[in-house]
mmCIF file of all heavy atoms in Angstrom:
data_model
loop_
_atom_site.group_PDB
_atom_site.id
_atom_site.type_symbol
_atom_site.label_atom_id
_atom_site.label_comp_id
_atom_site.label_asym_id
_atom_site.label_seq_id
_atom_site.Cartn_x
_atom_site.Cartn_y
_atom_site.Cartn_z
ATOM 1 N N SER A 1 -67.234 61.358 2.439
ATOM 2 C CA SER A 1 -67.593 61.923 3.745
ATOM 3 C C SER A 1 -67.965 63.367 3.762
ATOM 4 O O SER A 1 -67.467 64.133 2.911
ATOM 5 C CB SER A 1 -66.340 61.713 4.718
ATOM 6 O OG SER A 1 -66.138 60.375 5.040
ATOM 7 N N ASP A 2 -68.773 63.794 4.721
ATOM 8 C CA ASP A 2 -69.233 65.167 4.835
ATOM 9 C C ASP A 2 -68.115 66.054 5.110
ATOM 10 O O ASP A 2 -68.083 67.245 4.604
ATOM 11 C CB ASP A 2 -70.268 65.191 6.024
ATOM 12 C CG ASP A 2 -70.767 66.616 6.214
ATOM 13 O OD1 ASP A 2 -71.627 67.076 5.439
ATOM 14 O OD2 ASP A 2 -70.283 67.296 7.149
ATOM 15 N N PHE A 3 -67.068 65.638 5.911
ATOM 16 C CA PHE A 3 -65.985 66.517 6.278
ATOM 17 C C PHE A 3 -65.241 67.072 5.061
ATOM 18 O O PHE A 3 -64.666 68.109 5.093
ATOM 19 C CB PHE A 3 -65.049 65.897 7.288
ATOM 20 C CG PHE A 3 -64.151 64.854 6.752
ATOM 21 C CD1 PHE A 3 -62.959 65.157 6.058
ATOM 22 C CD2 PHE A 3 -64.434 63.472 6.975
ATOM 23 C CE1 PHE A 3 -62.177 64.139 5.542
ATOM 24 C CE2 PHE A 3 -63.534 62.477 6.523
ATOM 25 C CZ PHE A 3 -62.447 62.796 5.789
ATOM 26 N N MET A 4 -65.182 66.310 3.953
ATOM 27 C CA MET A 4 -64.447 66.736 2.804
ATOM 28 C C MET A 4 -65.266 67.296 1.713
ATOM 29 O O MET A 4 -64.770 67.856 0.665
ATOM 30 C CB MET A 4 -63.583 65.571 2.252
ATOM 31 C CG MET A 4 -64.336 64.392 1.715
ATOM 32 S SD MET A 4 -63.339 63.027 1.254
ATOM 33 C CE MET A 4 -62.381 63.779 -0.140
ATOM 34 N N THR A 5 -66.623 67.268 1.827
ATOM 35 C CA THR A 5 -67.529 67.736 0.789
ATOM 36 C C THR A 5 -68.481 68.826 1.240
ATOM 37 O O THR A 5 -69.242 69.354 0.501
ATOM 38 C CB THR A 5 -68.311 66.595 0.142
ATOM 39 O OG1 THR A 5 -69.035 65.944 1.294
ATOM 40 C CG2 THR A 5 -67.387 65.525 -0.433
ATOM 41 N N ARG A 6 -68.435 69.147 2.572
ATOM 42 C CA ARG A 6 -69.381 70.050 3.125
ATOM 43 C C ARG A 6 -69.370 71.426 2.382
ATOM 44 O O ARG A 6 -70.458 71.966 2.030
ATOM 45 C CB ARG A 6 -69.104 70.272 4.606
ATOM 46 C CG ARG A 6 -70.132 71.128 5.351
ATOM 47 C CD ARG A 6 -69.714 71.177 6.826
ATOM 48 N NE ARG A 6 -69.400 69.873 7.330
ATOM 49 C CZ ARG A 6 -68.462 69.627 8.250
ATOM 50 N NH1 ARG A 6 -67.721 70.627 8.673
ATOM 51 N NH2 ARG A 6 -68.223 68.472 8.748
ATOM 52 N N ALA A 7 -68.171 71.964 2.129
ATOM 53 C CA ALA A 7 -68.085 73.274 1.447
ATOM 54 C C ALA A 7 -68.635 73.179 0.001
ATOM 55 O O ALA A 7 -69.261 74.085 -0.463
ATOM 56 C CB ALA A 7 -66.684 73.743 1.460
ATOM 57 N N ASP A 8 -68.290 72.049 -0.647
ATOM 58 C CA ASP A 8 -68.881 71.871 -2.072
ATOM 59 C C ASP A 8 -70.376 71.809 -2.085
ATOM 60 O O ASP A 8 -71.041 72.322 -2.983
ATOM 61 C CB ASP A 8 -68.203 70.540 -2.601
ATOM 62 C CG ASP A 8 -66.696 70.537 -2.723
ATOM 63 O OD1 ASP A 8 -66.167 71.618 -3.004
ATOM 64 O OD2 ASP A 8 -66.177 69.501 -2.437
ATOM 65 N N ILE A 9 -70.952 71.177 -1.086
ATOM 66 C CA ILE A 9 -72.408 71.079 -1.080
ATOM 67 C C ILE A 9 -72.979 72.409 -0.752
ATOM 68 O O ILE A 9 -73.991 72.816 -1.424
ATOM 69 C CB ILE A 9 -72.808 70.056 0.043
ATOM 70 C CG1 ILE A 9 -72.385 68.602 -0.305
ATOM 71 C CG2 ILE A 9 -74.318 70.028 0.217
ATOM 72 C CD1 ILE A 9 -72.474 67.561 0.780
ATOM 73 N N ALA A 10 -72.430 73.100 0.126
ATOM 74 C CA ALA A 10 -72.891 74.504 0.545
ATOM 75 C C ALA A 10 -72.830 75.423 -0.640
ATOM 76 O O ALA A 10 -73.723 76.240 -0.831
ATOM 77 C CB ALA A 10 -72.190 74.998 1.715
ATOM 78 N N ALA A 11 -71.768 75.274 -1.491
ATOM 79 C CA ALA A 11 -71.605 76.167 -2.610
ATOM 80 C C ALA A 11 -72.311 75.772 -3.903
ATOM 81 O O ALA A 11 -72.338 76.405 -4.904
ATOM 82 C CB ALA A 11 -70.043 76.307 -2.916
ATOM 83 N N GLY A 12 -72.977 74.481 -3.829
ATOM 84 C CA GLY A 12 -73.697 73.986 -4.966
ATOM 85 C C GLY A 12 -72.822 73.269 -6.005
ATOM 86 O O GLY A 12 -73.279 72.976 -7.079
ATOM 87 N N ARG A 13 -71.503 73.093 -5.676
ATOM 88 C CA ARG A 13 -70.626 72.364 -6.629
ATOM 89 C C ARG A 13 -70.950 70.901 -6.704
ATOM 90 O O ARG A 13 -70.761 70.274 -7.699
ATOM 91 C CB ARG A 13 -69.194 72.678 -6.222
ATOM 92 C CG ARG A 13 -68.684 74.046 -6.289
ATOM 93 C CD ARG A 13 -67.244 74.175 -6.055
ATOM 94 N NE ARG A 13 -66.825 73.874 -4.677
ATOM 95 C CZ ARG A 13 -66.773 74.726 -3.723
ATOM 96 N NH1 ARG A 13 -67.030 76.021 -3.938
ATOM 97 N NH2 ARG A 13 -66.384 74.371 -2.469
ATOM 98 N N LEU A 14 -71.469 70.349 -5.513
ATOM 99 C CA LEU A 14 -71.912 68.952 -5.542
ATOM 100 C C LEU A 14 -73.325 68.981 -4.964
ATOM 101 O O LEU A 14 -73.645 69.732 -4.062
ATOM 102 C CB LEU A 14 -70.971 68.117 -4.683
ATOM 103 C CG LEU A 14 -69.575 67.926 -5.246
ATOM 104 C CD1 LEU A 14 -68.724 67.082 -4.217
ATOM 105 C CD2 LEU A 14 -69.577 67.137 -6.559
ATOM 106 N N VAL A 15 -74.066 68.004 -5.443
ATOM 107 C CA VAL A 15 -75.531 67.901 -4.978
ATOM 108 C C VAL A 15 -75.757 66.594 -4.321
ATOM 109 O O VAL A 15 -75.303 65.469 -4.865
ATOM 110 C CB VAL A 15 -76.443 68.064 -6.231
ATOM 111 C CG1 VAL A 15 -77.928 67.886 -5.796
ATOM 112 C CG2 VAL A 15 -76.232 69.360 -6.932
ATOM 113 N N LYS A 16 -76.408 66.565 -3.228
ATOM 114 C CA LYS A 16 -76.808 65.243 -2.592
ATOM 115 C C LYS A 16 -77.890 64.503 -3.351
ATOM 116 O O LYS A 16 -78.814 65.133 -3.814
ATOM 117 C CB LYS A 16 -77.290 65.538 -1.169
ATOM 118 C CG LYS A 16 -76.217 66.090 -0.157
ATOM 119 C CD LYS A 16 -76.941 66.229 1.248
ATOM 120 C CE LYS A 16 -76.018 66.885 2.229
ATOM 121 N NZ LYS A 16 -76.696 67.052 3.584
ATOM 122 N N LEU A 17 -77.679 63.193 -3.410
ATOM 123 C CA LEU A 17 -78.633 62.339 -4.049
ATOM 124 C C LEU A 17 -79.167 61.317 -3.160
ATOM 125 O O LEU A 17 -78.505 60.875 -2.184
ATOM 126 C CB LEU A 17 -77.839 61.642 -5.276
ATOM 127 C CG LEU A 17 -77.183 62.500 -6.272
ATOM 128 C CD1 LEU A 17 -76.454 61.705 -7.347
ATOM 129 C CD2 LEU A 17 -78.138 63.450 -6.936
ATOM 130 N N LEU A 18 -80.340 60.823 -3.434
ATOM 131 C CA LEU A 18 -80.945 59.653 -2.821
ATOM 132 C C LEU A 18 -80.960 59.797 -1.275
ATOM 133 O O LEU A 18 -80.800 58.890 -0.497
ATOM 134 C CB LEU A 18 -80.147 58.381 -3.159
ATOM 135 C CG LEU A 18 -80.127 58.051 -4.661
ATOM 136 C CD1 LEU A 18 -79.148 56.897 -4.898
ATOM 137 C CD2 LEU A 18 -81.491 57.669 -5.189
ATOM 138 N N GLU A 19 -81.236 61.044 -0.776
ATOM 139 C CA GLU A 19 -81.258 61.258 0.631
ATOM 140 C C GLU A 19 -82.389 60.487 1.377
ATOM 141 O O GLU A 19 -82.117 59.996 2.486
ATOM 142 C CB GLU A 19 -81.436 62.735 0.955
ATOM 143 C CG GLU A 19 -80.178 63.579 0.574
ATOM 144 C CD GLU A 19 -80.377 65.007 0.992
ATOM 145 O OE1 GLU A 19 -80.055 65.335 2.132
ATOM 146 O OE2 GLU A 19 -80.855 65.851 0.133
ATOM 147 N N ALA A 20 -83.497 60.280 0.749
ATOM 148 C CA ALA A 20 -84.551 59.447 1.306
ATOM 149 C C ALA A 20 -84.137 58.031 1.576
ATOM 150 O O ALA A 20 -84.809 57.340 2.363
ATOM 151 C CB ALA A 20 -85.784 59.562 0.450
ATOM 152 N N HIS A 21 -83.167 57.535 0.810
ATOM 153 C CA HIS A 21 -82.676 56.202 0.967
ATOM 154 C C HIS A 21 -81.423 55.999 1.885
ATOM 155 O O HIS A 21 -81.005 54.826 2.026
ATOM 156 C CB HIS A 21 -82.400 55.583 -0.474
ATOM 157 C CG HIS A 21 -83.567 55.589 -1.403
ATOM 158 N ND1 HIS A 21 -84.454 54.460 -1.434
ATOM 159 C CD2 HIS A 21 -84.026 56.575 -2.251
ATOM 160 C CE1 HIS A 21 -85.459 54.782 -2.318
ATOM 161 N NE2 HIS A 21 -85.186 55.981 -2.807
ATOM 162 N N SER A 22 -80.923 57.138 2.371
ATOM 163 C CA SER A 22 -79.719 57.022 3.215
ATOM 164 C C SER A 22 -80.015 56.358 4.540
ATOM 165 O O SER A 22 -81.081 56.484 5.127
ATOM 166 C CB SER A 22 -79.225 58.432 3.448
ATOM 167 O OG SER A 22 -78.116 58.405 4.443
ATOM 168 N N THR A 23 -79.093 55.498 5.006
ATOM 169 C CA THR A 23 -79.246 54.827 6.324
ATOM 170 C C THR A 23 -78.737 55.761 7.467
ATOM 171 O O THR A 23 -78.993 55.419 8.644
ATOM 172 C CB THR A 23 -78.394 53.566 6.356
ATOM 173 O OG1 THR A 23 -77.035 53.891 6.222
ATOM 174 C CG2 THR A 23 -78.871 52.602 5.256
ATOM 175 N N GLY A 24 -78.140 56.920 7.094
ATOM 176 C CA GLY A 24 -77.704 57.811 8.171
ATOM 177 C C GLY A 24 -76.321 57.329 8.771
ATOM 178 O O GLY A 24 -75.890 57.800 9.840
ATOM 179 N N PHE A 25 -75.653 56.448 8.078
ATOM 180 C CA PHE A 25 -74.337 55.886 8.578
ATOM 181 C C PHE A 25 -73.374 56.942 8.765
ATOM 182 O O PHE A 25 -73.174 57.860 7.900
ATOM 183 C CB PHE A 25 -73.928 54.836 7.678
ATOM 184 C CG PHE A 25 -72.473 54.291 8.001
ATOM 185 C CD1 PHE A 25 -72.316 53.393 9.051
ATOM 186 C CD2 PHE A 25 -71.404 54.727 7.319
ATOM 187 C CE1 PHE A 25 -71.062 52.878 9.330
ATOM 188 C CE2 PHE A 25 -70.122 54.266 7.622
ATOM 189 C CZ PHE A 25 -69.954 53.389 8.631
ATOM 190 N N HIS A 26 -72.601 56.985 9.876
ATOM 191 C CA HIS A 26 -71.510 57.898 10.115
ATOM 192 C C HIS A 26 -70.155 57.190 10.227
ATOM 193 O O HIS A 26 -70.078 56.127 10.870
ATOM 194 C CB HIS A 26 -71.721 58.654 11.445
ATOM 195 C CG HIS A 26 -72.750 59.799 11.316
ATOM 196 N ND1 HIS A 26 -74.084 59.581 10.908
ATOM 197 C CD2 HIS A 26 -72.605 61.116 11.579
ATOM 198 C CE1 HIS A 26 -74.687 60.779 10.908
ATOM 199 N NE2 HIS A 26 -73.849 61.659 11.357
ATOM 200 N N GLN A 27 -69.201 57.640 9.588
ATOM 201 C CA GLN A 27 -67.857 57.120 9.709
ATOM 202 C C GLN A 27 -67.219 57.677 10.994
ATOM 203 O O GLN A 27 -67.277 58.923 11.238
ATOM 204 C CB GLN A 27 -66.959 57.575 8.585
ATOM 205 C CG GLN A 27 -67.200 56.799 7.248
ATOM 206 C CD GLN A 27 -66.204 57.189 6.185
ATOM 207 O OE1 GLN A 27 -65.885 58.358 6.042
ATOM 208 N NE2 GLN A 27 -65.664 56.180 5.461
ATOM 209 N N GLN A 28 -66.623 56.861 11.799
ATOM 210 C CA GLN A 28 -65.926 57.286 13.030
ATOM 211 C C GLN A 28 -64.571 57.780 12.721
ATOM 212 O O GLN A 28 -63.862 57.352 11.807
ATOM 213 C CB GLN A 28 -65.873 56.064 13.994
ATOM 214 C CG GLN A 28 -67.232 55.516 14.460
ATOM 215 C CD GLN A 28 -68.080 56.597 15.137
ATOM 216 O OE1 GLN A 28 -67.612 57.250 16.046
ATOM 217 N NE2 GLN A 28 -69.305 56.763 14.578
ATOM 218 N N ILE A 29 -64.181 58.847 13.449
ATOM 219 C CA ILE A 29 -62.872 59.481 13.310
ATOM 220 C C ILE A 29 -62.152 59.288 14.636
ATOM 221 O O ILE A 29 -62.587 59.780 15.698
ATOM 222 C CB ILE A 29 -63.056 60.941 12.998
ATOM 223 C CG1 ILE A 29 -63.822 61.119 11.649
ATOM 224 C CG2 ILE A 29 -61.631 61.611 12.830
ATOM 225 C CD1 ILE A 29 -64.137 62.591 11.335
ATOM 226 N N HIS A 30 -61.007 58.630 14.609
ATOM 227 C CA HIS A 30 -60.223 58.380 15.838
ATOM 228 C C HIS A 30 -58.823 58.918 15.686
ATOM 229 O O HIS A 30 -58.261 58.981 14.570
ATOM 230 C CB HIS A 30 -60.151 56.830 16.078
ATOM 231 C CG HIS A 30 -61.407 56.247 16.511
ATOM 232 N ND1 HIS A 30 -62.320 55.731 15.658
ATOM 233 C CD2 HIS A 30 -61.832 56.004 17.790
ATOM 234 C CE1 HIS A 30 -63.327 55.208 16.412
ATOM 235 N NE2 HIS A 30 -63.057 55.383 17.646
ATOM 236 N N ALA A 31 -58.194 59.215 16.823
ATOM 237 C CA ALA A 31 -56.788 59.417 16.852
ATOM 238 C C ALA A 31 -56.158 58.227 17.575
ATOM 239 O O ALA A 31 -56.659 57.769 18.638
ATOM 240 C CB ALA A 31 -56.450 60.735 17.639
ATOM 241 N N VAL A 32 -55.101 57.710 17.002
ATOM 242 C CA VAL A 32 -54.426 56.598 17.645
ATOM 243 C C VAL A 32 -52.988 57.036 17.931
ATOM 244 O O VAL A 32 -52.368 57.789 17.113
ATOM 245 C CB VAL A 32 -54.449 55.318 16.748
ATOM 246 C CG1 VAL A 32 -55.851 54.835 16.598
ATOM 247 C CG2 VAL A 32 -53.832 55.590 15.381
ATOM 248 N N TYR A 33 -52.447 56.547 19.069
ATOM 249 C CA TYR A 33 -51.109 56.971 19.476
ATOM 250 C C TYR A 33 -50.660 55.978 20.571
ATOM 251 O O TYR A 33 -51.388 55.311 21.199
ATOM 252 C CB TYR A 33 -51.084 58.392 19.927
ATOM 253 C CG TYR A 33 -52.115 58.744 21.053
ATOM 254 C CD1 TYR A 33 -51.824 58.686 22.347
ATOM 255 C CD2 TYR A 33 -53.353 59.130 20.642
ATOM 256 C CE1 TYR A 33 -52.735 58.978 23.318
ATOM 257 C CE2 TYR A 33 -54.307 59.407 21.556
ATOM 258 C CZ TYR A 33 -54.015 59.331 22.893
ATOM 259 O OH TYR A 33 -54.957 59.662 23.828
ATOM 260 N N TYR A 34 -49.297 55.934 20.722
ATOM 261 C CA TYR A 34 -48.758 55.219 21.924
ATOM 262 C C TYR A 34 -48.816 56.105 23.112
ATOM 263 O O TYR A 34 -48.674 57.310 23.074
ATOM 264 C CB TYR A 34 -47.294 54.862 21.641
ATOM 265 C CG TYR A 34 -47.128 53.723 20.634
ATOM 266 C CD1 TYR A 34 -46.620 53.953 19.397
ATOM 267 C CD2 TYR A 34 -47.439 52.398 21.032
ATOM 268 C CE1 TYR A 34 -46.457 52.913 18.475
ATOM 269 C CE2 TYR A 34 -47.310 51.377 20.085
ATOM 270 C CZ TYR A 34 -46.788 51.644 18.878
ATOM 271 O OH TYR A 34 -46.610 50.629 17.915
ATOM 272 N N ARG A 35 -49.047 55.509 24.282
ATOM 273 C CA ARG A 35 -48.948 56.236 25.554
ATOM 274 C C ARG A 35 -47.472 56.542 25.814
ATOM 275 O O ARG A 35 -46.610 55.706 25.818
ATOM 276 C CB ARG A 35 -49.467 55.355 26.725
ATOM 277 C CG ARG A 35 -50.966 55.207 26.623
ATOM 278 C CD ARG A 35 -51.449 54.474 27.869
ATOM 279 N NE ARG A 35 -52.887 54.218 27.873
ATOM 280 C CZ ARG A 35 -53.737 55.099 28.357
ATOM 281 N NH1 ARG A 35 -53.370 56.259 28.738
ATOM 282 N NH2 ARG A 35 -55.030 54.823 28.336
ATOM 283 N N ASN A 36 -47.201 57.810 25.967
ATOM 284 C CA ASN A 36 -45.809 58.284 26.136
ATOM 285 C C ASN A 36 -45.828 59.540 26.994
ATOM 286 O O ASN A 36 -46.313 60.539 26.543
ATOM 287 C CB ASN A 36 -45.138 58.567 24.769
ATOM 288 C CG ASN A 36 -43.654 58.974 24.943
ATOM 289 O OD1 ASN A 36 -43.305 59.677 25.814
ATOM 290 N ND2 ASN A 36 -42.900 58.393 23.992
ATOM 291 N N THR A 37 -45.345 59.396 28.179
ATOM 292 C CA THR A 37 -45.433 60.557 29.167
ATOM 293 C C THR A 37 -44.770 61.824 28.588
ATOM 294 O O THR A 37 -45.296 62.948 28.711
ATOM 295 C CB THR A 37 -44.755 60.194 30.457
ATOM 296 O OG1 THR A 37 -45.327 58.987 30.995
ATOM 297 C CG2 THR A 37 -44.892 61.339 31.496
ATOM 298 N N GLN A 38 -43.648 61.704 27.916
ATOM 299 C CA GLN A 38 -42.962 62.845 27.341
ATOM 300 C C GLN A 38 -43.749 63.532 26.286
ATOM 301 O O GLN A 38 -43.642 64.687 26.049
ATOM 302 C CB GLN A 38 -41.614 62.463 26.833
ATOM 303 C CG GLN A 38 -40.627 61.944 27.893
ATOM 304 C CD GLN A 38 -39.323 61.494 27.335
ATOM 305 O OE1 GLN A 38 -39.240 61.207 26.171
ATOM 306 N NE2 GLN A 38 -38.299 61.431 28.146
ATOM 307 N N LEU A 39 -44.589 62.730 25.576
ATOM 308 C CA LEU A 39 -45.324 63.316 24.470
ATOM 309 C C LEU A 39 -46.793 63.769 24.871
ATOM 310 O O LEU A 39 -47.429 64.418 24.145
ATOM 311 C CB LEU A 39 -45.503 62.297 23.287
ATOM 312 C CG LEU A 39 -44.295 62.155 22.438
ATOM 313 C CD1 LEU A 39 -44.508 60.969 21.479
ATOM 314 C CD2 LEU A 39 -44.000 63.452 21.623
ATOM 315 N N SER A 40 -47.121 63.370 26.119
ATOM 316 C CA SER A 40 -48.607 63.448 26.432
ATOM 317 C C SER A 40 -49.095 64.898 26.390
ATOM 318 O O SER A 40 -50.230 65.117 26.037
ATOM 319 C CB SER A 40 -48.775 62.928 27.878
ATOM 320 O OG SER A 40 -48.059 63.556 28.812
ATOM 321 N N GLN A 41 -48.277 65.842 26.788
ATOM 322 C CA GLN A 41 -48.625 67.201 26.796
ATOM 323 C C GLN A 41 -48.941 67.697 25.397
ATOM 324 O O GLN A 41 -49.936 68.333 25.164
ATOM 325 C CB GLN A 41 -47.516 68.056 27.429
ATOM 326 C CG GLN A 41 -47.910 69.493 27.653
ATOM 327 C CD GLN A 41 -46.758 70.318 28.255
ATOM 328 O OE1 GLN A 41 -45.630 69.802 28.249
ATOM 329 N NE2 GLN A 41 -47.067 71.549 28.701
ATOM 330 N N ARG A 42 -48.017 67.470 24.392
ATOM 331 C CA ARG A 42 -48.209 67.853 23.075
ATOM 332 C C ARG A 42 -49.408 67.153 22.401
ATOM 333 O O ARG A 42 -50.220 67.742 21.752
ATOM 334 C CB ARG A 42 -46.960 67.620 22.265
ATOM 335 C CG ARG A 42 -45.862 68.622 22.381
ATOM 336 C CD ARG A 42 -44.595 68.114 21.833
ATOM 337 N NE ARG A 42 -43.867 67.352 22.853
ATOM 338 C CZ ARG A 42 -42.769 66.662 22.652
ATOM 339 N NH1 ARG A 42 -42.292 66.563 21.379
ATOM 340 N NH2 ARG A 42 -42.137 66.003 23.534
ATOM 341 N N ILE A 43 -49.527 65.808 22.661
ATOM 342 C CA ILE A 43 -50.646 65.106 22.130
ATOM 343 C C ILE A 43 -51.991 65.607 22.651
ATOM 344 O O ILE A 43 -52.967 65.883 21.897
ATOM 345 C CB ILE A 43 -50.489 63.589 22.453
ATOM 346 C CG1 ILE A 43 -49.317 62.989 21.644
ATOM 347 C CG2 ILE A 43 -51.763 62.822 22.239
ATOM 348 C CD1 ILE A 43 -49.037 61.576 22.007
ATOM 349 N N SER A 44 -52.042 65.844 23.988
ATOM 350 C CA SER A 44 -53.268 66.279 24.603
ATOM 351 C C SER A 44 -53.738 67.629 24.048
ATOM 352 O O SER A 44 -54.994 67.793 23.591
ATOM 353 C CB SER A 44 -53.157 66.308 26.096
ATOM 354 O OG SER A 44 -52.965 65.093 26.684
ATOM 355 N N CYS A 45 -52.780 68.580 23.962
ATOM 356 C CA CYS A 45 -53.207 69.926 23.472
ATOM 357 C C CYS A 45 -53.662 69.899 22.010
ATOM 358 O O CYS A 45 -54.631 70.562 21.668
ATOM 359 C CB CYS A 45 -52.074 70.926 23.724
ATOM 360 S SG CYS A 45 -50.619 70.807 22.656
#
């Protein structure tokens, strides 16, 4: 994923390959949690 390699790519430590063949797929990032009124304030912030 880009989120863990972005700095390496920018610094030249890792090089992107086969960009012309990429489908542009993105991994979704979700937060999951139980609804809990007492926790809602901390979770929301």
Side-chain angles (χ1 to χ4, degrees):
S1 291
D2 179 79
F3 72 78
M4 62 185 298
T5 57
R6 188 178 309 144
D8 298 321
I9 295 168
R13 294 186 295 267
L14 291 175
V15 178
K16 291 183 185 180
L17 305 176
L18 302 171
E19 290 186 84
H21 299 272
S22 173
T23 64
F25 174 78
H26 282 57
Q27 284 185 317
Q28 298 301 307
I29 303 172
H30 288 87
V32 294
Y33 51 93
Y34 286 109
R35 290 186 180 274
N36 185 319
T37 303
Q38 293 177 340
L39 281 173
S40 61
Q41 188 184 13
R42 279 166 275 170
I43 288 174
S44 294
C45 70

